[in-house]
Amino acid sequence: MSPTQWDFPVELCCRPMAFVTLTGLDVVYNAVHRAVWDAFCANRRADRVPISFKVLPGDHEYPKCRPKRTSYEWYIPKGILKTGWMNKHLNLVPALVVVFYELDWDEPQWKEKQSECATRVEIVRQSLQGRNTKVAVVLIQKKTPLPPGEDVIASERAAALCNACELSGKSLFVLPHTDHLVGYIIRLENAFYEHAQTYYYTEIRRVKSHKEFLNKTTHQLLFVRHQFKIAFFSELKQDTQNALKNYRTAYNLVHELRAHETNILEIKTMAGFINYKICRLCFQHNTPLDAIAQFRKHIDLCKKKIGSAELSFEHDAWMSKQFQAFGDLFDEAIKLGLTAIQTQNPGFYYQQAAYYAQERKQLAKTLCNHEASVMYPNPDPLETQTGVLDFYGQRSWRQGILSFDLSDPEKEKVGILAIQLKERNVVHSEIIITLLSNAVAQFKKYKCPRMKSHLMVQMGEEYYYAKDYTKALKLLDYVMCDYRSEGWWTLLTSVLTTALKCSYLMAQLKDYITYSLELLGRASTLKDDQKSRIEKNLINVLMNESPDPEPDCDILAVKTAQKLWADRISLAGSNIFTIGVQDFVPFVQCKAKFHAPSFHVDVPVQFDIYLKADCPHPIRFSKLCVSFNNQEYNQFCVIEEASKANEVLENLTQGKMCLVPGKTRKLLFKFVAKTEDVGKKIEITSVDLALGNETGRCVVLNWQGGGGDAASSQEALQAARSFKRRPKLPDNEVHWDSIIIQASTMIISRVPNISVHLLHEPPALTNEMYCLVVTVQSHEKTQIRDVKLTAGLKPGQDANLTQKTHVTLHGTELCDESYPALLTDIPVGDLHPGEQLEKMLYVRCGTVGSRMFLVYVSYLINTTVEEKEIVCKCHKDETVTIETVFPFDVAVKFVSTKFEHLERVYADIPFLLMTDLLSASPWALTIVSSELQLAPSMTTVDQLESQVDNVILQTGESASECFCLQCPSLGNIEGGVATGHYIISWKRTSAMENIPIITTVITLPHVIVENIPLHVNADLPSFGRVRESLPVKYHLQNKTDLVQDVEISVEPSDAFMFSGLKQIRLPAQAFYTYQYFCQATGSTHG
Amino acid sequence: MAVCIAVIAKENYPLYIRSTPTENELKFHYMVHTSLDVVDEKISAMGKALVDQRELYLGLLYPTEDYKLCRYGYVTNSKVKFVMVVDSSNTALRDNEIRSMFRKLHNSYTDVMCNPFYNPGDRIQSRAFDNMVTSMMIQVC
């Protein structure tokens, strides 16, 4: 875009830098000069002093200085600020002119050179006459200078040169052209900068000095002008604090000016300039809040200063520019490190700028609607002699006239007309869109998605006004889903209405239909008359006719559109549009519902499709088809009616192909599932509803899954929450909200009609061949085939159980590890109706605990569904939990030959081993035999015959055995001596003959064997007679290999009379047995 | 004076929205909708605060560049939002006045919720609520 009247001048927006001109440099032909110049202008980073350099010839003519005014008494200013002033001080009038001259201190022709240099300086001074511009001389030298004070000639000649050129010593510099050029240049420019600052300081003083001559009545404008100049010079001097202070004063002075319709534009223009400077400096000083406060104040002060009503669009243009410029400044500051927040970011200013641009457009539309015959005035009142205005913000046809009265109303009229006609050519939409898109970018950055959407809607609408419908649609389409997903239907409807207009004007069939569908739907907040208009159009479009134009469209655009639509009709090509509805809210709703979550394979699968139209008039559809995950079923679920296109409007209320608004239509479908799909899920993948006709135009609405669109999930949630009682409806009707989508169903096998019984006697006993009798009886009406039995441990239990459980069909032999835990698919053959079969199973459980056993019977049967023959596979299973217990407990104890309990046995002394077998089984057990297998260390004293052969034990009964054993001395063995095994052979008493006998081996406990030194054995007769002698014999045995001294004393009881030695002492030989006799005669008592 | 009062569901769809009939209704809808950006941001910022210390009143939502219509926000504990657009061109309302208006609105909303026939999440159609909103919209004229 070329700069317009409203754009700020460049010289206002740039950062003012001290202006220094360099003369005497031949940058084209002289390599040394070129290098010097490059060193000045290359790499001007922030660390270098802010100077703008310019190379000019030595005899350059600088702008002439007007003669100094001695008195302001009769002076009346013609405006606030001249348009050329800022540029003059930025680019034309230097603060310092530097004269470069090649001269070495040892120059042989010194005199001549010195006077040439003085001449050059003089020429520069001439052209700067009247200005305070400083002049400096730089001598470009080939030799490196000596340290100051050492070169006597140099200091002499330098003084002479200064004298000749009338320069102070501070203004003469030496630039040795050596390796360190850049370093010298930086030192030079720092020195220049100081000179420049001095210059600007004197300029400020000069302007300030005018003040005292001014009076408040005639020189109001000058107060502003001078204040502005001081501030501007301060900026040039890089004294931003003072600049800001002075700009603020200037700003206040501007608003003190007497405002009138004739000068309001000038005041606003200057206020805008100064405000811009203030805001800019505030941001530069990192005080953004000051900037914002100033800007608010500025807007508050200015927004009512509209000025001429006929040119009020100018005020909006100016306002728009203020906001835009502030937004730019804000954005600039952010790029330099300022942080903005969600509620205070440049976006708001761009948005507001866009708002004023829109206002401007509106006003321009009403104020500039001149007839085409109105010619642009000639001569052009907007032309000036110089092509530019003398003062900022003045009218070109009355420049410099300060009177508030219009001297020439006719001229004024022509001028306004010219401005109005020019305004008519402004492409407002372009301005608005640019501003809006700036704002969008900002709001996106500061997490304002909704604000962004809102602005995008405005952009879309602006594109619509600008007749760029493609871009408009693109933007509107983008934001639609935001409003839809958040459920702001009023906003969505408004966006859709614009989008519909765009698509109409472009004759975009698919878009037109899509938007119509949604505008007719329940999400649309349009009135019924609008809806019926749209519906009528939609039906027209579907019948391959042109729709009526949308209201409020541009007449020319409508004409073009009508032609486009006419072309569309004649155009052959694809007239079928498939529209996925999951992303919007169409006017037909659809819900699919299987009657049950599962169907047996021998009954037909049934489901309903519910349809409801929300449009104002009944509508007829031409086809409905349902697709499944198994596509073979698709063919069964199609409703189609060959209707002619012109019938769409007729007979609307009849027939099932017609949807009456607000009424729920139910369509029943059924089909027979395939037997391969048993155990699988049948899912409705999509429902397609065709509106219109394939000969005309056809729209296929495509619902994914069992129906539902962008709004339905929220509705379903609300319906589920609701306690509201729904009014009663006739039997065949249902409430739409009460229908819950069920888009999938399971196909399960046919219900078996057989019985499976299990006969067994729990619990099972460890290791026994437990018998399980399976009885299968058919209750089917026809023969069943291929009956198979799977039986055994139910899979999925503890893995250890699988190792310790074995199943077999043959009970006659014991099964071992190689037998499986589950027998699968044992063929049993066929069964006639009512027939029954029995199968015996034997289970051997190696460990106690409970186990689940599964008996699964499968078979095939032929059956008919809906006159279709199918082979069904049915199955029935039975599960049983069987507890396994130990058949008996075996207790073993060691006793002495006198049946006294023994903790330990004595070497070589016989003892008794007693076994006690206690039945724990609830069923009678037969102990077939038992056997004692002795460890090699044990010897038997007598025969080891079983004493419990063929004993039958009832629950709780026990069988005991006793064996006399002896253990030779084996020394001290840790943990005792192994005794051996006790083996019991047993079976259930009830078990059949051919069932094998089970052998249970019990490991006998270890026993501690102890050696004793002396063994005493008393040999007593089993009975004695009264008054007869009773011989008592004691055997004493020395078990050691040493001779032991033994003392025996006998203490008889009172019941006996005693004879023999009462006390004896004798040596006992090792391993000798002594016999000691004594006699006692007893007497009876009482 | 309030020129637009809106109740927004937790899921950010409007439950109730009313504006002065004299002005462009759509403008207010957009205004309320765009305010939700700030409401969302404020809610997520205070999410960490303890429930009982939470301030329901959200204050001024957007700085108003046209210095005329101010938008204020309020959020209940169940994340239902109230947005009020106030015309401050004639009279500048004090913060506590706005607060008390919101409190009144909240009380009335609570009454609506207590109605066993009202299904939470449905659009508010209560006449009592409507009357209260009407009274607030003409209150300070």
Side-chain angles (χ1 to χ4, degrees):
Chain A
M1 268 200 302
S2 60
T4 65
Q5 174 194 359
W6 305 108
D7 286 332
F8 287 142
V10 224
E11 52 267 35
L12 181 79
C13 302
C14 68
R15 177 191 174 190
M17 288 193 286
F19 180 49
V20 172
T21 55
L22 310 178
T23 65
L25 286 178
D26 180 4
V27 295
V28 184
Y29 298 108
N30 189 322
V32 173
H33 291 185
R34 177 87 221 167
V36 169
W37 171 236
D38 283 347
F40 273 115
C41 45
N43 284 327
R44 291 214 70 87
R45 285 188 306 252
D47 56 337
R48 306 261 300 250
V49 285
I51 303 181
S52 87
F53 289 106
K54 203 179 225 177
V55 170
L56 289 174
D59 53 356
H60 178 78
E61 290 276 326
Y62 297 98
K64 286 275 174 296
C65 186
R66 263 180 293 119
K68 288 272 177 297
R69 206 180 301 281
T70 46
S71 159
Y72 277 88
E73 211 165 321
W74 298 105
Y75 174 68
I76 292 168
K78 291 179 168 172
I80 302 175
L81 187 68
K82 287 221 170 140
T83 49
W85 189 83
M86 281 187 285
N87 188 45
K88 188 166 88 181
H89 287 278
L90 284 170
N91 299 314
L92 300 175
V93 177
L96 172 73
V97 179
V98 185
V99 178
F100 282 85
Y101 191 68
E102 282 189 43
L103 183 62
D104 278 273
W105 294 128
D106 54 356
E107 173 64 45
Q109 295 170 306
W110 173 257
K111 278 279 175 213
E112 288 84 348
K113 289 275 181 185
Q114 179 183 317
S115 69
E116 191 192 336
C117 182
T119 318
R120 288 195 179 192
V121 171
E122 191 47 38
I123 292 168
V124 168
R125 285 234 172 88
Q126 283 292 325
S127 66
L128 287 170
Q129 194 137 49
R131 299 216 176 267
N132 297 322
T133 305
K134 310 270 173 203
V135 179
V137 172
V138 176
L139 300 178
I140 301 174
Q141 299 191 332
K142 292 187 187 74
K143 290 185 188 131
T144 318
L146 293 167
E150 284 181 28
D151 196 340
V152 187
I153 304 173
S155 39
E156 267 176 24
R157 289 193 165 176
L161 188 66
C162 284
N163 211 17
C165 303
E166 295 169 43
L167 280 176
S168 81
K170 280 183 185 167
S171 302
L172 178 68
F173 304 95
V174 171
L175 174 64
H177 181 60
T178 55
D179 297 341
H180 308 293
L181 184 63
V182 177
Y184 283 113
I185 294 290
I186 287 173
R187 281 169 66 183
L188 262 185
E189 67 182 27
N190 286 339
F192 294 167
Y193 181 61
E194 266 175 46
H195 280 291
Q197 285 202 312
T198 325
Y199 164 77
Y200 291 120
Y201 176 72
T202 48
E203 287 301 290
I204 292 167
R205 292 292 299 271
R206 189 175 59 79
V207 178
K208 274 187 183 164
S209 69
H210 300 328
K211 261 193 193 169
E212 51 195 286
F213 304 111
L214 306 182
N215 68 64
K216 289 223 165 178
T217 46
T218 47
H219 297 138
Q220 263 200 322
L221 298 178
L222 285 183
F223 279 110
V224 180
R225 185 193 293 173
H226 290 163
Q227 207 61 48
F228 183 85
K229 284 185 176 179
I230 293 167
F232 196 79
F233 280 131
S234 302
E235 261 196 291
L236 282 164
K237 198 183 159 231
Q238 307 304 322
D239 182 359
T240 52
Q241 294 294 353
N242 272 320
L244 181 59
K245 206 177 90 195
N246 286 304
Y247 278 130
R248 282 193 193 279
T249 321
Y251 187 81
N252 293 336
L253 289 171
V254 158
H255 283 292
E256 281 173 21
L257 293 177
R258 257 167 298 163
H260 188 262
E261 205 171 293
T262 49
N263 72 343
I264 197 129
L265 182 65
E266 186 177 10
I267 290 174
K268 274 194 305 190
T269 307
M270 276 320 287
F273 284 6
I274 300 168
N275 171 66
Y276 179 82
K277 279 289 189 190
I278 295 172
C279 294
R280 197 187 153 87
L281 287 171
C282 286
F283 278 122
Q284 202 178 316
H285 292 157
N286 205 11
T287 50
L289 293 180
D290 288 355
I292 291 166
Q294 161 63 29
F295 185 71
R296 285 195 168 207
K297 186 175 120 192
H298 173 57
I299 293 301
D300 274 346
L301 285 170
C302 297
K303 73 175 164 189
K304 291 279 161 60
K305 297 189 173 167
I306 296 166
S308 156
E310 288 154 298
L311 296 174
S312 53
F313 52 82
E314 282 192 321
H315 176 67
D316 285 319
W318 178 83
M319 285 292 274
S320 172
K321 186 66 213 171
Q322 300 304 308
F323 278 101
Q324 188 197 353
F326 190 77
D328 287 342
L329 279 178
F330 200 166
D331 194 33
E332 196 68 28
I334 288 162
K335 281 184 191 137
L336 293 172
L338 184 74
T339 25
I341 50 165
Q342 192 192 34
T343 52
Q344 189 56 261
N345 70 60
F348 290 102
Y349 300 95
Y350 288 127
Q351 185 201 6
Q352 211 57 31
Y355 165 76
Y356 279 107
Q358 284 162 337
E359 293 285 294
R360 173 188 179 184
K361 184 182 142 187
Q362 288 302 326
L363 284 172
K365 215 167 149 189
T366 49
L367 292 172
C368 313
N369 56 350
H370 303 281
E371 307 235 334
S373 58
V374 177
M375 293 301 287
Y376 190 79
N378 197 12
D380 186 353
L382 301 185
E383 278 295 309
T384 56
Q385 282 179 336
T386 51
V388 286
L389 290 170
D390 291 343
F391 288 93
Y392 283 117
Q394 292 193 345
R395 298 289 180 202
S396 51
W397 61 88
R398 47 174 167 81
Q399 291 198 74
I401 298 168
L402 295 180
S403 162
F404 290 163
D405 301 321
L406 296 172
S407 53
D408 189 347
E410 202 48 46
K411 214 170 174 186
E412 186 74 17
K413 227 181 237 173
V414 173
I416 288 171
L417 176 67
I419 291 177
Q420 286 175 339
L421 289 176
K422 273 220 161 134
E423 181 72 11
R424 200 161 65 174
N425 296 334
V426 173
V427 192
H428 291 107
S429 291
E430 201 177 311
I431 300 169
I432 296 167
I433 287 165
T434 314
L435 290 170
L436 283 172
S437 76
N438 278 350
V440 165
Q442 294 292 339
F443 283 115
K444 197 173 163 185
K445 203 161 130 193
Y446 295 101
K447 289 195 236 164
C448 303
R450 295 178 187 87
M451 189 61 117
K452 190 186 117 196
S453 302
H454 176 40
L455 294 170
M456 282 171 80
V457 171
Q458 291 186 15
M459 265 173 95
E461 283 168 353
E462 206 52 55
Y463 272 122
Y464 163 72
Y465 295 130
K467 300 200 173 61
D468 190 343
Y469 304 121
T470 322
K471 278 189 181 152
L473 268 192
K474 208 172 158 190
L475 283 161
L476 295 176
D477 221 32
Y478 186 87
V479 292
M480 260 178 226
C481 34
D482 293 340
Y483 291 121
R484 197 182 289 125
S485 63
E486 282 201 330
W488 283 74
W489 303 132
T490 18
L491 303 184
L492 178 67
T493 307
S494 139
V495 174
L496 277 170
T497 312
T498 315
L500 185 70
K501 284 180 193 167
C502 291
S503 59
Y504 169 76
L505 293 172
M506 285 197 295
Q508 288 271 33
L509 261 178
K510 191 173 175 180
D511 288 337
Y512 185 82
I513 292 167
T514 315
Y515 301 138
S516 301
L517 286 174
E518 193 158 16
L519 279 171
L520 289 174
R522 61 199 189 283
S524 154
T525 54
L526 286 183
K527 297 269 182 308
D528 263 359
D529 56 332
Q530 288 296 310
K531 281 192 176 181
S532 54
R533 186 183 60 79
I534 291 170
E535 190 176 356
K536 203 176 125 234
N537 277 340
L538 180 66
I539 290 170
N540 274 345
V541 168
L542 292 178
M543 290 197 299
N544 211 5
E545 283 167 23
S546 296
D548 288 341
E550 289 299 309
D552 309 326
C553 280
D554 185 67
I555 298 156
L556 276 175
V558 168
K559 284 222 171 87
T560 328
Q562 277 165 338
K563 208 165 160 293
L564 282 173
W565 280 102
D567 291 349
R568 287 270 186 282
I569 293 166
S570 54
L571 208 68
S574 171
N575 278 330
I576 300 174
F577 306 98
T578 304
I579 296 169
V581 301
Q582 65 277 7
D583 299 328
F584 72 110
V585 190
F587 73 94
V588 186
Q589 298 182 68
C590 166
K591 283 181 180 180
K593 187 184 181 189
F594 277 106
H595 285 187
S598 62
F599 284 93
H600 292 290
V601 71
D602 60 337
V603 292
V605 176
Q606 299 193 36
F607 67 94
D608 290 324
I609 296 282
Y610 295 92
L611 292 172
K612 189 180 156 211
D614 303 313
C615 51
H617 303 296
I619 189 146
R620 170 171 288 234
F621 63 94
S622 56
K623 191 176 173 184
L624 176 74
C625 43
V626 185
S627 310
F628 296 88
N629 54 346
N630 185 345
Q631 294 181 357
E632 285 182 55
Y633 300 128
N634 294 3
Q635 50 182 316
F636 305 116
C637 304
V638 178
I639 294 183
E640 201 164 0
E641 195 177 59
S643 63
K644 284 177 203 149
N646 58 7
E647 279 176 358
V648 174
L649 279 169
E650 296 159 16
N651 299 329
L652 276 176
T653 44
Q654 288 136 39
K656 60 178 174 181
M657 310 294 284
C658 181
L659 300 176
V660 181
K663 284 258 165 66
T664 303
R665 167 152 323 280
K666 183 165 102 173
L667 300 158
L668 173 75
F669 290 91
K670 61 176 159 184
F671 60 89
V672 178
K674 300 202 172 299
T675 44
E676 302 94 88
D677 279 346
V678 171
K680 286 184 192 154
K681 205 173 180 182
I682 294 186
E683 230 172 312
I684 296 177
T685 51
S686 67
V687 180
D688 289 324
L689 180 78
L691 299 171
N693 202 288
E694 274 160 47
T695 54
R697 290 181 183 125
C698 181
V699 187
V700 180
L701 294 179
N702 171 270
W703 282 272
Q704 294 294 312
D709 48 45
S712 52
S713 58
Q714 175 68 25
E715 286 166 356
L717 187 71
Q718 280 302 116
R721 275 189 201 159
S722 176
F723 299 119
K724 222 172 272 173
R725 206 181 59 175
R726 300 187 177 88
K728 216 170 156 62
L729 285 181
D731 283 346
N732 52 350
E733 282 181 44
V734 277
H735 277 286
W736 183 258
D737 285 343
S738 64
I739 305 162
I740 295 159
I741 294 175
Q742 164 111 43
S744 67
T745 192
M746 284 288 291
I747 298 302
I748 51 176
S749 53
R750 181 179 172 275
V751 185
N753 203 2
I754 56 167
S755 59
V756 177
H757 288 294
L758 296 178
L759 200 69
H760 61 119
E761 294 178 322
L765 304 176
T766 321
N767 281 331
E768 87 169 313
M769 296 294 282
Y770 185 67
C771 182
L772 207 61
V773 183
V774 182
T775 316
V776 180
Q777 189 174 12
S778 163
H779 305 297
E780 297 282 4
K781 294 202 169 55
T782 53
Q783 189 194 15
I784 61 173
R785 295 180 286 120
D786 217 2
V787 182
K788 279 178 184 161
L789 181 72
T790 295
L793 193 68
K794 191 176 179 176
Q797 298 181 76
D798 189 357
N800 293 335
L801 289 179
T802 321
Q803 304 288 323
K804 292 287 179 193
T805 312
H806 308 286
V807 184
T808 178
L809 288 176
H810 310 288
T812 48
E813 50 196 271
L814 268 180
C815 44
D816 54 29
E817 304 287 302
S818 64
Y819 284 76
L822 179 72
L823 292 171
T824 51
D825 290 337
I826 311 154
V828 190
D830 299 352
L831 272 181
H832 289 288
E835 204 180 346
Q836 171 174 338
L837 68 79
E838 227 179 57
K839 199 84 188 160
M840 297 247 239
L841 282 173
Y842 293 91
V843 183
R844 188 169 182 216
C845 305
T847 50
V848 293
S850 70
R851 289 167 171 77
M852 292 231 283
F853 287 90
L854 171 79
V855 176
Y856 173 95
V857 182
S858 69
Y859 62 93
L860 297 180
I861 187 164
N862 289 15
T863 173
T864 26
V865 198
E866 301 270 300
E867 291 143 16
K868 215 177 139 193
E869 180 101 352
I870 56 166
V871 179
C872 293
K873 195 176 173 186
C874 304
H875 62 83
K876 176 149 190 164
D877 50 23
E878 281 289 323
T879 328
V880 65
T881 305
I882 298 173
E883 196 77 29
T884 305
V885 297
F886 282 121
F888 40 71
D889 293 325
V890 178
V892 178
K893 58 186 177 188
F894 297 97
V895 291
S896 69
T897 45
K898 287 183 195 148
F899 292 97
E900 289 162 343
H901 180 73
L902 285 179
E903 287 292 329
R904 55 198 65 189
V905 301
Y906 304 108
D908 290 327
I909 315 291
F911 61 92
L912 296 176
L913 173 80
M914 288 192 66
T915 62
D916 197 14
L917 198 143
L918 173 71
S919 166
S921 152
W923 309 99
L925 289 182
T926 303
I927 310 295
V928 179
S929 76
S930 71
E931 189 192 342
L932 186 71
Q933 275 183 352
L934 286 180
S937 54
M938 290 286 169
T939 52
T940 173
V941 178
D942 55 359
Q943 296 295 303
L944 288 182
E945 277 168 14
S946 171
Q947 294 144 356
V948 290
D949 279 4
N950 291 319
V951 169
I952 292 174
L953 289 180
Q954 299 296 334
T955 314
E957 289 180 345
S958 65
S960 297
E961 280 189 278
C962 183
F963 303 97
C964 189
L965 305 176
Q966 198 172 14
C967 182
S969 170
L970 290 167
N972 199 9
I973 294 170
E974 189 68 38
V977 176
T979 319
H981 298 282
Y982 185 49
I983 299 159
I984 306 145
S985 302
W986 59 277
K987 62 193 279 185
R988 272 186 199 231
T989 314
S990 60
M992 279 175 288
E993 280 300 309
N994 54 359
I995 299 293
I997 291 159
I998 307 113
T999 314
T1000 304
V1001 178
I1002 309 258
T1003 306
L1004 294 171
H1006 286 212
V1007 67
I1008 297 163
V1009 180
E1010 205 169 76
N1011 291 316
I1012 45 167
L1014 188 75
H1015 177 62
V1016 181
N1017 191 19
D1019 196 356
L1020 284 165
S1022 50
F1023 62 91
R1025 285 200 186 84
V1026 178
R1027 293 181 209 287
E1028 274 183 27
S1029 73
L1030 184 75
V1032 179
K1033 190 157 68 175
Y1034 291 97
H1035 298 270
L1036 284 99
Q1037 201 176 4
N1038 182 2
K1039 294 276 190 183
T1040 64
D1041 48 2
L1042 295 170
V1043 178
Q1044 306 282 348
D1045 230 4
V1046 183
E1047 193 184 300
I1048 305 161
S1049 61
V1050 181
E1051 279 174 23
S1053 84
D1054 289 345
F1056 290 94
M1057 285 162 55
F1058 185 76
S1059 73
L1061 284 170
K1062 268 197 180 165
Q1063 200 160 22
I1064 191 167
R1065 237 185 123 121
L1066 65 127
Q1069 291 287 332
F1071 301 118
Y1072 258 76
T1073 306
Y1074 288 87
Q1075 291 192 347
Y1076 167 75
F1077 296 97
C1078 60
Q1079 281 190 328
T1081 309
S1083 60
T1084 53
H1085 291 273
Chain B
M1 117 190 204
V3 285
C4 176
I5 290 176
V7 181
I8 315 290
K10 180 169 172 271
E11 296 85 0
N12 281 342
Y13 63 88
L15 290 176
Y16 180 91
I17 183 157
R18 216 172 91 203
S19 51
T20 34
T22 50
E23 288 192 65
N24 183 1
E25 192 190 351
L26 198 62
K27 177 181 126 186
F28 286 113
H29 280 242
Y30 274 120
M31 223 176 213
V32 171
H33 186 245
T34 49
S35 307
L36 293 179
D37 284 335
V38 185
V39 173
D40 269 4
E41 197 66 18
K42 289 202 177 195
I43 290 173
S44 68
M46 73 178 183
K48 288 152 204 140
L50 288 170
V51 178
D52 48 344
Q53 289 171 6
R54 199 178 278 161
E55 167 74 283
L56 301 178
Y57 177 57
L58 299 177
L60 186 64
L61 295 178
Y62 268 121
T64 40
E65 290 311 332
D66 55 356
Y67 314 110
K68 207 179 127 204
L69 298 173
C70 298
R71 288 174 254 182
Y72 294 90
Y74 186 92
V75 61
T76 71
N77 282 320
S78 53
K79 300 275 183 295
V80 169
K81 295 122 194 162
F82 301 148
V83 174
M84 192 149 63
V85 185
V86 175
D87 187 347
S88 61
S89 54
N90 303 323
T91 46
L93 284 173
R94 280 197 307 273
D95 212 41
N96 57 359
E97 284 174 301
I98 302 281
R99 267 175 207 269
S100 75
M101 280 165 89
F102 271 126
R103 218 165 293 131
K104 243 170 100 181
L105 197 65
H106 195 172
N107 286 340
S108 190
Y109 173 73
T110 315
D111 290 345
V112 171
M113 290 299 288
C114 290
N115 176 359
F117 298 103
Y118 174 72
N119 185 21
D122 279 350
R123 287 195 69 106
I124 297 172
Q125 278 157 339
S126 153
R127 202 179 304 146
F129 189 78
D130 220 37
N131 290 339
M132 198 278 311
V133 168
T134 312
S135 77
M136 275 168 64
M137 287 177 76
I138 52 165
Q139 193 181 30
V140 208
C141 284

